[in-house]
Amino acid sequence: MPFASRLLCLLDRVSAPSTVHAHCDIPCGVYDPEQARIEAESAYKIIEKYQASDDELFRQRCVIVKEERTELAKHHISVLWSDHFKPEHLEQFPNLHDVFWRALKQCSAVKRSVDSQEAQKLLDLIDEIDAMWQKTGGLETTRKNGRPSA
Amino acid sequence: MPFASRLLCLLDRVSAPSTVHAHCDIPCGVYDPEQARIEAESAYKIIEKYQASDDELFRQRCVIVKEERTELAKHHISVLWSDHFKPEHLEQFPNLHDVFWRALKQCSAVKRSVDSQEAQKLLDLIDEIDAMWQKTGGLETTRKNGRPSA
Amino acid sequence: MPFASRLLCLLDRVSAPSTVHAHCDIPCGVYDPEQARIEAESAYKIIEKYQASDDELFRQRCVIVKEERTELAKHHISVLWSDHFKPEHLEQFPNLHDVFWRALKQCSAVKRSVDSQEAQKLLDLIDEIDAMWQKTGGLETTRKNGRPSA
Amino acid sequence: MPFASRLLCLLDRVSAPSTVHAHCDIPCGVYDPEQARIEAESAYKIIEKYQASDDELFRQRCVIVKEERTELAKHHISVLWSDHFKPEHLEQFPNLHDVFWRALKQCSAVKRSVDSQEAQKLLDLIDEIDAMWQKTGGLETTRKNGRPSA
Amino acid sequence: MPFASRLLCLLDRVSAPSTVHAHCDIPCGVYDPEQARIEAESAYKIIEKYQASDDELFRQRCVIVKEERTELAKHHISVLWSDHFKPEHLEQFPNLHDVFWRALKQCSAVKRSVDSQEAQKLLDLIDEIDAMWQKTGGLETTRKNGRPSA
Amino acid sequence: MPFASRLLCLLDRVSAPSTVHAHCDIPCGVYDPEQARIEAESAYKIIEKYQASDDELFRQRCVIVKEERTELAKHHISVLWSDHFKPEHLEQFPNLHDVFWRALKQCSAVKRSVDSQEAQKLLDLIDEIDAMWQKTGGLETTRKNGRPSA
């Protein structure tokens, strides 16, 4: 983890109570686009493996599991939109609704497809969401201790 | 994202097929302790808010949601143990089973408790799991593009 | 069922293939705000009963079940937004995103509250969604036979 | 909405408290065969689309999603039988158990089949359930405000 | 395991193919009232512990978990009714529908109550279901190898 | 039920509070490998039927349902490991972790395969777990009344 992030984490720990309450009014306050990204990455790799295989059973299972993973990505994206982002963020990100709408529709596209470019588009949209989330101070509200160095 | 990680990602993309297959034999290969940590952080903050409140309704909701979040942490930890780690890792981490067993039992402890120290113990155990996961090359198998800079 | 609706249903059946495909490109095409409304009505009545009771056990169960029902309403609303409504509808309903955002946020408000006015606000927002859905031809895509007369 | 229904809705609003409590003893009282019908209609349209397509991937997804939708129909039908209908209704509808049993078994038939006639049989059985539900005053216990005119 | 059961198991193994196919036409054929009973026993013990405790947090968690366990019992009972039992069994057990209806309604009663007598009534009804299930040859279709001696 | 078991059950009922509390510290205490075995038997029979059929639709549904059933087996096995077994049992069963790890990995193998030998291996591992569970007094903590004689 780079120095700047460590510093943010340290500051986070010192000033946690007030910062956290500023970002959430429901019993959690922990939102992280990683949840959506991990499911979307899973869909991406499942498509890669589907394309690399000619085992009929394996390919059927890929379609089943991709459906589930993408549904989870959809759920996590929807929660970020409705729960993390607040009306004041809309001024900061005038295309907020549009990015989220396209991201959710892209999840449907990934369900329908076995083209890894569709999964890549979803990952790109989640990256756009992540960038907005970071600008609202998202990183400070999660990763209490930062990922440990191995 | 620091340079070293970028390099790893680049290498990952170049050599994806063989690398990925070395780490997974089921249709996904994407495992990340972040999934468990996000749920455990959620439980941690719920407990903090529970302790800071004297609203009976709010506290009841904290107990309900903490139960769900901790159950999800438990699920993600179990999947890491059974699906990501392989017999060869057991030689590398002789205490592998013990750490995972204690982490799962700590999830139960967090369900039963409203003491933030119990949630912190769970976060610490997930950090131990994360360190082992990183040593098995976990970071290279996820975060295809790395988290974008805001 | 009134005559006009029967006629629409008949037309629907005759021209089903093209009409249906015009409204959906995923394997279903059946969307209906009733799904969200039934869950929201359930939340409304649970709150009424919570307020009318002083049985501690009963009230705890109300909080638990309201949490579940409202989560389901949230899910159904999110699906309508991302799956039923298409870019062309945005011109027709410039406040489309705003209504859905407020409806999802109102679900969170209902989770946090035992005030029936919060549940009524959610029902009103679902009615707004229903009106838009009807204007996009929603009624013709569901209720194949219409509700039978008792 | 026709005049008679509007009148019922109006009466419902005026006399809501006592009427509602007469129909339910658990924390909700809102039951509506629409929940089962929407899932069954979804299964019906999925089968139509399955038959109209020769895309192997699309057809596989149809089978997966039909399984889920029909399972939900089954759940909603079972809840209506066990929770909405009471022993006194059995005298009114001597074939109550038989209709529900056949409806649940028809859900299994729809899972096993890609014949739209099987889905139509399920819709017909849900219509029979709806008719009984209406005769027990079902319509008054839901649709608090009636579906809005678009 | 007593001798008679061992014998049945042995016979089961010898004649498995034909016997099994005689009892199921969907992709499983394995039904066992044990699934419902384990959840009902769980509800029974949760109520015992609720009554023995005066810890408010613990009691709240009992109510939450009892709700989940009883919902699972309800699901398993419903599946037995609709999937295992066939029209020909109705002649053998004229009260089949009534026993199942009462069992499902008793699940609702256990949700609403913290009286262990309500949970005992549910266990008794599941025993009645189990007896009917055994008479239809249920034991032969499950427990492929019989429970092992410790 | 044989005499010895009945006696154990009777003793269990007489001394329930202390006995039960010795085995569990969360709100349930009811664990039974039957839950995992029923799902694993289901997977076994699904594979048998898959092999016996050449109906493409039927075989696709087998793959879908087997995925679900095996996931449930995995869940039940994980719960037994983390919740029923305690550190003191580890001395009694030095291979405890290994058996559970192999059982969970075997669930993944059954998902990937349509070979009934893989399902049989899972059943054998569940039998090993059952034997350990019985030696920890598992039978006394469940089956309050014993399975009734038909």
Side-chain angles (χ1 to χ4, degrees):
Chain A
M1 191 170 56
F3 178 73
S5 299
R6 278 183 196 279
L7 190 62
L8 277 171
C9 282
L10 193 66
L11 288 172
D12 183 34
R13 235 168 302 169
V14 175
S15 62
S18 62
T19 312
V20 169
H21 281 277
H23 287 110
C24 68
D25 44 28
I26 63 165
C28 169
V30 178
Y31 306 108
D32 194 331
E34 280 297 275
Q35 291 186 299
R37 181 157 27 212
I38 290 166
E39 304 302 347
E41 283 186 19
S42 176
Y44 183 94
K45 292 209 174 151
I46 287 168
I47 289 174
E48 278 189 334
K49 295 188 172 189
Y50 176 97
Q51 296 295 356
S53 167
D54 54 5
D55 177 316
E56 198 48 45
L57 173 64
F58 179 79
R59 286 164 69 108
Q60 276 183 30
R61 293 187 61 236
C62 286
V63 176
I64 297 167
V65 177
K66 177 166 67 71
E67 204 83 8
E68 293 169 0
R69 295 294 116 189
T70 317
E71 180 63 25
L72 284 169
K74 211 168 176 177
H75 171 72
H76 289 308
I77 291 168
S78 178
V79 168
L80 280 168
W81 184 57
S82 63
D83 295 1
H84 176 76
F85 287 94
K86 305 280 184 305
E88 62 265 29
H89 299 137
L90 199 52
E91 296 160 35
Q92 196 178 353
F93 312 109
N95 65 338
L96 179 76
H97 296 339
D98 184 58
V99 172
F100 272 99
W101 208 33
R102 282 187 291 128
L104 290 173
K105 285 183 178 302
Q106 191 59 32
C107 288
S108 302
V110 174
K111 281 189 186 178
R112 283 196 297 268
S113 163
V114 285
D115 178 348
S116 63
Q117 286 194 314
E118 296 294 345
Q120 185 57 55
K121 279 184 206 165
L122 176 57
L123 284 164
D124 293 345
L125 283 160
I126 293 171
D127 277 355
E128 282 193 55
I129 288 169
D130 192 295
M132 294 191 290
W133 172 80
Q134 285 188 44
K135 283 178 188 149
T136 62
L139 276 174
E140 290 94 284
T141 60
T142 60
R143 302 301 322 283
K144 196 176 168 53
N145 304 306
R147 168 156 259 164
S149 310
Chain B
M1 189 171 59
F3 177 74
S5 299
R6 278 183 196 279
L7 190 63
L8 278 170
C9 282
L10 193 68
L11 288 171
D12 183 32
R13 234 168 305 169
V14 174
S15 63
S18 61
T19 312
V20 170
H21 281 278
H23 287 111
C24 68
D25 45 27
I26 64 167
C28 167
V30 177
Y31 306 108
D32 194 330
E34 281 297 276
Q35 291 187 299
R37 182 157 27 210
I38 289 167
E39 304 302 347
E41 282 185 19
S42 176
Y44 183 94
K45 292 207 175 153
I46 287 168
I47 289 175
E48 277 189 335
K49 294 188 171 188
Y50 176 98
Q51 295 296 355
S53 166
D54 55 5
D55 177 316
E56 198 48 43
L57 173 64
F58 179 80
R59 287 163 69 109
Q60 277 182 29
R61 293 187 61 236
C62 286
V63 176
I64 296 167
V65 177
K66 177 166 67 73
E67 205 81 9
E68 293 168 0
R69 295 294 116 188
T70 318
E71 181 63 26
L72 285 169
K74 212 169 173 175
H75 171 72
H76 290 307
I77 291 169
S78 178
V79 168
L80 279 169
W81 184 56
S82 63
D83 294 2
H84 175 77
F85 288 94
K86 305 282 184 308
E88 62 266 29
H89 298 137
L90 198 52
E91 295 159 36
Q92 196 178 353
F93 312 109
N95 66 337
L96 180 76
H97 295 339
D98 184 58
V99 172
F100 272 98
W101 208 34
R102 283 188 291 127
L104 290 173
K105 286 183 175 303
Q106 192 59 31
C107 289
S108 302
V110 174
K111 282 189 186 178
R112 283 195 298 270
S113 164
V114 285
D115 178 348
S116 63
Q117 288 195 313
E118 295 294 345
Q120 184 58 56
K121 277 184 206 166
L122 176 57
L123 284 164
D124 293 345
L125 283 160
I126 292 171
D127 277 354
E128 283 193 56
I129 289 170
D130 192 295
M132 293 190 291
W133 173 79
Q134 286 189 43
K135 284 179 187 149
T136 62
L139 277 174
E140 290 97 283
T141 59
T142 61
R143 302 302 318 284
K144 194 173 169 53
N145 304 308
R147 168 157 259 162
S149 310
Chain C
M1 190 169 60
F3 178 74
S5 299
R6 275 183 198 280
L7 190 63
L8 278 170
C9 281
L10 193 68
L11 288 171
D12 183 33
R13 233 168 302 168
V14 173
S15 63
S18 61
T19 312
V20 170
H21 280 277
H23 287 111
C24 69
D25 44 26
I26 64 166
C28 167
V30 178
Y31 305 109
D32 195 330
E34 281 297 276
Q35 290 188 300
R37 181 157 27 211
I38 290 166
E39 304 301 347
E41 283 185 19
S42 176
Y44 184 93
K45 291 206 176 153
I46 288 168
I47 289 175
E48 277 188 335
K49 294 187 172 189
Y50 176 97
Q51 296 295 356
S53 166
D54 55 5
D55 177 316
E56 199 48 45
L57 172 64
F58 179 80
R59 285 163 69 108
Q60 277 183 31
R61 293 187 62 237
C62 286
V63 176
I64 296 166
V65 178
K66 176 166 67 73
E67 205 81 11
E68 294 168 0
R69 294 294 117 187
T70 317
E71 180 63 25
L72 285 170
K74 212 170 174 173
H75 170 72
H76 289 308
I77 291 169
S78 178
V79 168
L80 279 168
W81 184 57
S82 64
D83 295 2
H84 176 76
F85 287 95
K86 306 281 184 304
E88 63 265 29
H89 299 136
L90 200 51
E91 296 158 36
Q92 195 178 354
F93 312 109
N95 66 338
L96 179 78
H97 295 340
D98 184 58
V99 172
F100 273 99
W101 209 33
R102 285 188 290 127
L104 290 173
K105 286 183 176 303
Q106 192 59 31
C107 288
S108 302
V110 173
K111 281 189 185 178
R112 284 195 297 270
S113 164
V114 286
D115 179 347
S116 62
Q117 287 195 313
E118 297 292 348
Q120 184 58 54
K121 278 184 207 164
L122 175 57
L123 284 166
D124 293 344
L125 283 159
I126 292 171
D127 277 354
E128 283 193 53
I129 288 168
D130 192 296
M132 293 190 291
W133 172 80
Q134 285 189 43
K135 283 178 189 149
T136 62
L139 277 174
E140 290 95 286
T141 61
T142 60
R143 303 305 319 284
K144 197 175 167 52
N145 304 307
R147 170 158 259 162
S149 309
Chain D
M1 190 169 56
F3 178 73
S5 299
R6 278 184 195 280
L7 190 63
L8 277 171
C9 282
L10 192 68
L11 288 171
D12 183 33
R13 233 170 301 168
V14 175
S15 62
S18 61
T19 312
V20 170
H21 282 278
H23 286 111
C24 69
D25 45 25
I26 64 166
C28 168
V30 178
Y31 305 109
D32 194 331
E34 281 296 278
Q35 291 188 298
R37 182 157 26 211
I38 290 166
E39 304 302 348
E41 283 186 19
S42 175
Y44 184 94
K45 292 209 175 151
I46 287 168
I47 289 175
E48 279 188 333
K49 293 188 172 189
Y50 177 97
Q51 295 295 357
S53 166
D54 55 4
D55 177 315
E56 198 48 44
L57 173 64
F58 178 79
R59 286 162 70 106
Q60 276 182 32
R61 293 187 61 237
C62 286
V63 176
I64 297 167
V65 178
K66 176 166 67 76
E67 204 83 8
E68 293 169 1
R69 294 294 116 188
T70 317
E71 180 62 25
L72 285 170
K74 211 168 175 177
H75 171 71
H76 290 308
I77 291 169
S78 178
V79 168
L80 279 169
W81 183 58
S82 63
D83 294 2
H84 175 76
F85 288 94
K86 305 283 185 304
E88 62 265 30
H89 299 137
L90 199 51
E91 295 160 35
Q92 197 179 351
F93 311 109
N95 65 336
L96 180 77
H97 295 341
D98 184 58
V99 172
F100 273 99
W101 208 34
R102 284 187 289 129
L104 290 173
K105 286 183 177 303
Q106 191 59 31
C107 289
S108 302
V110 173
K111 283 189 184 177
R112 284 195 297 269
S113 163
V114 285
D115 178 347
S116 63
Q117 287 195 313
E118 296 293 344
Q120 184 57 55
K121 278 185 207 165
L122 176 57
L123 284 165
D124 292 344
L125 283 159
I126 293 171
D127 277 354
E128 283 192 54
I129 289 170
D130 193 294
M132 293 190 290
W133 172 79
Q134 286 189 43
K135 284 180 188 149
T136 63
L139 277 174
E140 288 96 285
T141 61
T142 61
R143 301 304 320 283
K144 197 176 168 48
N145 304 307
R147 168 157 259 162
S149 309
Chain E
M1 193 169 55
F3 178 74
S5 299
R6 278 183 194 280
L7 191 61
L8 277 171
C9 283
L10 193 66
L11 288 172
D12 182 34
R13 233 169 304 170
V14 174
S15 62
S18 61
T19 312
V20 169
H21 282 276
H23 286 110
C24 68
D25 46 26
I26 63 166
C28 165
V30 177
Y31 305 108
D32 194 331
E34 281 296 279
Q35 290 187 300
R37 181 155 30 210
I38 289 166
E39 304 301 347
E41 283 185 18
S42 176
Y44 184 94
K45 291 207 175 151
I46 287 168
I47 289 175
E48 277 188 335
K49 292 187 173 189
Y50 176 97
Q51 295 295 356
S53 167
D54 55 5
D55 178 315
E56 199 48 44
L57 173 65
F58 178 80
R59 286 164 67 109
Q60 276 182 31
R61 293 187 61 237
C62 286
V63 176
I64 297 166
V65 178
K66 176 166 67 73
E67 204 83 9
E68 294 169 358
R69 293 296 116 188
T70 317
E71 180 63 26
L72 285 169
K74 211 169 175 175
H75 171 72
H76 290 308
I77 292 169
S78 179
V79 169
L80 279 169
W81 184 56
S82 63
D83 295 1
H84 176 76
F85 287 94
K86 306 281 185 304
E88 62 265 30
H89 299 136
L90 199 51
E91 295 159 36
Q92 196 177 355
F93 311 109
N95 66 336
L96 179 77
H97 296 340
D98 184 58
V99 172
F100 273 99
W101 208 33
R102 284 187 290 127
L104 290 173
K105 286 183 177 300
Q106 192 59 30
C107 288
S108 302
V110 173
K111 282 189 184 177
R112 285 195 298 269
S113 163
V114 285
D115 178 347
S116 63
Q117 287 194 313
E118 297 292 348
Q120 184 58 55
K121 278 184 207 165
L122 176 57
L123 285 165
D124 293 345
L125 283 159
I126 293 170
D127 278 355
E128 282 192 55
I129 289 169
D130 192 295
M132 291 190 293
W133 172 80
Q134 285 189 45
K135 283 179 188 149
T136 62
L139 276 174
E140 288 95 283
T141 62
T142 61
R143 302 307 318 286
K144 196 175 166 53
N145 304 307
R147 169 156 258 161
S149 310
Chain F
M1 193 169 60
F3 178 74
S5 299
R6 279 184 195 280
L7 190 62
L8 279 170
C9 281
L10 192 68
L11 288 171
D12 183 33
R13 234 169 302 169
V14 173
S15 62
S18 62
T19 313
V20 170
H21 281 278
H23 289 112
C24 70
D25 45 26
I26 63 167
C28 168
V30 177
Y31 305 108
D32 194 331
E34 280 296 278
Q35 290 187 299
R37 179 156 29 209
I38 289 166
E39 305 300 349
E41 283 186 20
S42 176
Y44 184 95
K45 291 206 175 153
I46 288 168
I47 289 174
E48 278 188 334
K49 293 186 173 191
Y50 176 97
Q51 296 295 356
S53 168
D54 54 7
D55 177 315
E56 199 48 46
L57 172 65
F58 179 79
R59 285 163 69 109
Q60 276 183 30
R61 293 186 62 236
C62 286
V63 176
I64 297 167
V65 177
K66 175 167 69 75
E67 204 83 9
E68 294 169 359
R69 294 296 116 188
T70 317
E71 180 62 26
L72 285 170
K74 212 168 174 176
H75 171 72
H76 290 308
I77 291 169
S78 178
V79 168
L80 279 169
W81 185 56
S82 64
D83 294 3
H84 175 76
F85 287 94
K86 305 281 184 307
E88 62 265 30
H89 300 137
L90 199 51
E91 296 160 36
Q92 196 178 353
F93 311 108
N95 65 338
L96 179 77
H97 296 339
D98 183 58
V99 173
F100 273 99
W101 209 33
R102 284 188 289 127
L104 290 172
K105 286 183 178 302
Q106 191 59 32
C107 288
S108 303
V110 173
K111 282 189 186 178
R112 284 195 297 271
S113 163
V114 285
D115 177 347
S116 63
Q117 286 195 315
E118 296 294 345
Q120 184 59 54
K121 279 184 205 164
L122 176 56
L123 284 165
D124 292 344
L125 284 159
I126 293 171
D127 278 354
E128 282 193 56
I129 289 169
D130 192 294
M132 292 192 291
W133 172 79
Q134 285 189 44
K135 283 178 188 151
T136 63
L139 277 174
E140 290 95 285
T141 62
T142 60
R143 302 304 320 282
K144 197 176 168 52
N145 304 307
R147 169 157 258 162
S149 310

